[in-house]
Amino acid sequence: QVQLVESGGGLVQPGGSLRLSCAASGNIRNIYAMAWYRQAPGKQRELVATITGGGSTNYADSVKGRFTISRDNATNTMYLQMNSLKPEDTAVYFCKADQEAYFGKRRYTADYWGQGTQVTVSS
């Protein structure tokens, strides 16, 4: 079992910045990938950015060049640095962790989600 807790959301003006954090606890072994998602009211949840244990990153086109995902394996914390924020970035942001385990020759996976943190970009 893995628990994820997001923090760092809030209200900012367009063009401002926020840094979100996601702290993982519990059985944190073998988390091979983490990601940030977001969901605005009435819209589908969308993938924002992902990062592997080796540090490889990918970003949605809508945030590329403005957001930076990172992780600190020593503290089991993932971050999302958000710069040049736009009103369309307003959403609840969720972190997700993918965990793997091997039993014999079979691979098992599990996904864990945090509760989300609200980001509002408005004048």
Side-chain angles (χ1 to χ4, degrees):
Q1 294 293 117
V2 174
Q3 294 80 46
L4 303 174
V5 179
E6 302 97 333
S7 62
L11 174 65
V12 297
Q13 295 182 356
S17 298
L18 283 174
R19 189 177 77 159
L20 305 183
S21 299
C22 175
S25 61
N27 185 13
I28 58 176
R29 292 183 177 181
N30 302 119
I31 294 177
Y32 64 90
M34 299 183 74
W36 286 99
Y37 288 75
R38 67 185 181 186
Q39 186 169 24
K43 297 184 179 180
Q44 300 292 324
R45 185 172 297 185
E46 64 174 336
L47 178 64
V48 176
T50 184
I51 185 168
T52 69
S56 298
T57 60
N58 286 286
Y59 299 90
D61 289 341
S62 59
V63 307
K64 193 172 184 178
R66 300 188 297 120
F67 291 10
T68 302
I69 188 172
S70 62
R71 66 191 294 178
D72 185 343
N73 292 331
T75 60
N76 306 117
T77 304
M78 179 178 64
Y79 303 95
L80 184 68
Q81 178 66 48
M82 304 184 295
N83 299 325
S84 301
L85 283 163
K86 305 174 181 179
E88 50 263 44
D89 295 319
T90 296
V92 177
Y93 284 71
F94 300 87
C95 68
K96 182 174 76 76
D98 299 333
Q99 186 179 53
E100 66 177 355
Y102 288 89
F103 294 92
K105 298 181 179 180
R106 294 188 178 272
R107 179 174 181 258
Y108 297 85
T109 61
D111 297 339
Y112 299 92
W113 292 85
Q115 306 97 320
T117 185
Q118 177 70 49
V119 172
T120 302
V121 185
S122 176
S123 299

